[in-house]
């Protein structure tokens, strides 16, 4: 088993990574948040495949678990779902010391995490992610929240988990397209902070795509370590944590501009990272070989590297200006200086951004 410790001034937790780890969920939960009750919030896509193992493990560790499900779509990541979950927890008399466990992808983790942050003013939260994207990004670092009609993730909190349990075997039932989407965040981590990881993904791409068990544990451990390091440096996104938004301002415009129907988040991030890197190369900020290496690696993963069906630039740029990462009305972009190093840039001219969008349609 691989473990990564995330240590903050007033809180610490361990991220455990291994195949078959759902069998140990109960024991690990008992060590991190001992109580007689627990709530397991389950992604409805995985009820048949993984919930029995999780519930059996909790019962074997002497928990009396409440099982609640939620539909894992962006249109269910909202306050109506949160309210429904509050009612179930209250009806079942879950207490302030009862841990709440999210079993599923990022949508379930974010929503259940917001419930955990606010139910009885906060209960112990455990992340048990079952998608690659949630394993390497969303489950670590304590960002929880829900969408509003006005935009994604506009209501939320920082509520760090007390434990993260990553069973890499759950990836076996994840659709291939979703698995590949998780690789976008892995490539991102390499590009913003760790050239060795970038090269390692390139060299091991066949074993990663074949989901070789030891390679997956190493991939996830290396990525979780980067995410944990960033969060330990800057828990509340006052500085360096914003580097994790590399490619995301472009990606959110792609997702919103196509009504969230055409591109998965990871696919939009792939395109967004290319746009940001080409913009940086075109303005002399980084060498053009960084963009070439990024496109080459993303091609190997199977993520999209061009898109001829994007909305017009004025629509995409209007969405970028309404993004919550806008500061004082100016679009904030994370742009590479070199492979492994990025900066936050506030003053990118519109024509440079338009050029980056055009480069994706070529
Ligand atoms: N997913 C970006 C962050 O956790 O800050």
């Amino acid at each position: 088993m691989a473990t990564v410790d995330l240590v903050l001034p007033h809180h610490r937790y361990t991220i455990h990574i291994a195949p078959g780890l759902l069998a140990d969920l109960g024991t690990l939960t008992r060590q991190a948040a001992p109580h007689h009750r627990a709530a397991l919030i389950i992604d409805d896509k995985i009820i048949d495949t993984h919930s029995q193992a999780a519930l059996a493990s909790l019962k074997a560790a002497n928990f009396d678990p409440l099982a609640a499900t939620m539909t894992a779509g962006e249109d269910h990541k909202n306050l109506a779902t949160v309210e429904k979950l509050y009612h179930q927890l209250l009806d079942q008399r879950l207490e302030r010391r009862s841990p709440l466990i999210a079993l599923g992808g990022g949508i379930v983790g974010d929503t259940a995490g917001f419930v955990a942050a606010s139910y009885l003013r906060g209960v112990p939260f455990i992340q048990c992610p079952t998608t690659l994207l949630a394993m390497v990004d969303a489950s670590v670092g304590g960002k929880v929240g829900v969408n509003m009609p006005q935009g994604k993730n506009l209501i939320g909190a920082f509520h760090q988990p007390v434990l993260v349990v990553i069973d890499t075997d759950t990836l076996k039932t994840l659709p291939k397209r979703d698995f590949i989407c998780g690789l976008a965040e892995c490539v991102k981590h390499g590009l913003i902070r760790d050239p060795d990881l970038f090269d390692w993904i390139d060299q091991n791409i066949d074993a990663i795509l074949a989901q070789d068990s030891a390679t997956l544990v190493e991939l996830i451990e290396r990525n979780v370590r980067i995410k944990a390091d960033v969060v330990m440096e800057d828990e509340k996104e006052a500085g360096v944590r914003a580097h994790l938004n590399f490619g995301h301002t472009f990606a959110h415009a792609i997702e919103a501009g196509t009504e969230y129907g055409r591109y998965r988040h990871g696919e939009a991030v792939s395109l967004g990272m290319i746009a940001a890197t080409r913009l940086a190369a075109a303005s002399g900020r980084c060498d053009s070989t960084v963009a070439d290496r990024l496109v080459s690696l993303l091609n190997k993963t199977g993520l999209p590297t061009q898109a001829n069906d994007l909305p017009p630039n004025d629509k995409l740029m209007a969405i970028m200006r309404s993004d919550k990462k806008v500061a004082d009305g100016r679009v904030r972009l994370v742009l590479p200086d070199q492979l492994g190093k990025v900066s936050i840039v506030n003053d990118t001219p519109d024509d440079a951004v338009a050029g980056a969008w055009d480069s994706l349609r070529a």
Side-chain angles (χ1 to χ4, degrees):
M1 173 163 47
T3 57
V4 177
D5 290 325
L6 197 153
V7 184
L8 296 165
H10 303 291
H11 186 71
R12 64 182 299 152
Y13 56 99
T14 302
I15 299 123
H16 301 254
I17 309 152
L21 207 53
L22 271 185
D24 296 335
L25 177 65
T27 331
L28 291 169
T29 301
R30 180 145 298 286
Q31 286 161 9
H35 198 241
H36 58 285
R37 301 296 311 280
L40 184 69
I41 314 293
I42 309 162
D43 191 323
D44 68 354
K45 284 203 204 87
I46 57 161
I47 294 173
D48 296 338
T49 44
H50 304 307
S51 63
Q52 286 318 315
L55 284 167
S57 176
L58 288 167
K59 285 178 191 159
N62 293 322
F63 283 101
D64 170 17
L66 155 72
T69 57
M70 71 165 275
T71 307
E74 287 290 350
D75 48 348
H76 291 268
K77 182 180 162 180
N78 55 30
L79 290 172
T81 303
V82 169
E83 189 177 1
K84 214 167 95 191
L85 292 169
Y86 287 151
H87 280 295
Q88 294 183 61
L89 299 178
L90 288 166
D91 291 347
Q92 293 286 323
R93 299 183 190 285
L94 270 287
E95 298 175 13
R96 195 173 267 173
R97 287 180 52 230
S98 315
L100 187 150
I101 305 159
L103 178 67
I107 289 176
V108 171
D110 284 6
T111 311
F114 187 66
V115 172
S118 47
Y119 180 70
L120 304 180
R121 295 204 181 87
V123 296
F125 178 43
I126 293 172
Q127 287 271 24
C128 197
T130 60
T131 66
L132 182 60
L133 195 123
M135 290 175 184
V136 297
D137 185 12
S139 67
V140 177
K143 276 190 185 175
V144 296
V146 293
N147 302 332
M148 290 292 283
Q150 290 88 340
K152 279 175 72 175
N153 297 323
L154 293 180
I155 304 296
F158 287 96
H159 187 61
Q160 296 290 346
V162 295
L163 166 73
V164 182
V165 177
I166 299 179
D167 179 348
T168 50
D169 280 348
T170 59
L171 296 174
K172 289 181 183 159
T173 52
L174 186 69
K176 182 100 181 157
R177 185 175 172 190
D178 292 321
F179 177 78
I180 289 173
C181 278
L183 293 177
E185 303 290 350
C186 301
V187 172
K188 178 192 82 178
H189 285 149
L191 194 137
I192 65 169
R193 225 173 144 95
D194 187 348
D196 287 346
L197 172 65
F198 191 94
D199 289 340
W200 183 88
I201 296 172
D202 207 339
Q203 283 150 15
N204 290 279
I205 193 65
D206 292 339
I208 292 170
L209 291 173
Q211 298 195 12
D212 169 71
S213 187
T215 309
L216 281 186
V217 171
E218 184 168 353
L219 174 76
I220 295 162
E221 182 191 0
R222 290 180 76 142
N223 279 280
V224 162
R225 214 169 274 291
I226 290 177
K227 179 80 192 262
D229 283 348
V230 171
V231 173
M232 286 192 278
E233 256 178 72
D234 173 25
E235 183 188 1
K236 300 277 170 74
E237 201 171 308
V240 79
R241 187 163 180 173
H243 291 177
L244 296 170
N245 296 329
F246 170 60
H248 282 61
T249 304
F250 286 96
H252 287 153
I254 294 171
E255 290 177 274
T258 54
E259 281 71 44
Y260 297 96
R262 215 175 300 159
Y263 293 96
R264 301 272 167 84
H265 179 65
E267 294 164 350
V269 169
S270 174
L271 294 166
M273 291 192 293
I274 294 169
T277 307
R278 288 201 177 130
L279 195 164
S283 50
R285 173 173 284 278
C286 77
D287 199 276
S288 63
T289 54
V290 180
D292 297 341
R293 291 186 65 190
L294 176 66
V295 172
S296 159
L297 178 53
L298 291 171
N299 269 327
K300 288 182 197 170
T301 64
L303 285 159
T305 55
Q306 71 178 71
N308 294 315
D309 54 357
L310 294 177
N313 286 354
D314 53 355
K315 178 171 177 182
L316 292 166
M317 288 170 66
I319 299 169
M320 286 175 107
R321 281 190 279 269
S322 68
D323 194 284
K324 72 175 180 313
K325 292 185 283 297
V326 163
D328 302 326
R330 287 192 298 188
V331 177
R332 296 177 85 209
L333 293 173
V334 180
L335 299 179
D337 303 315
Q338 60 189 58
L339 191 64
K341 185 172 180 299
V342 291
S343 300
I344 298 168
V345 180
N346 287 324
D347 55 0
T348 310
D350 278 1
D351 58 346
V353 179
W357 283 121
D358 288 339
S359 80
L360 293 177
R361 299 190 184 89

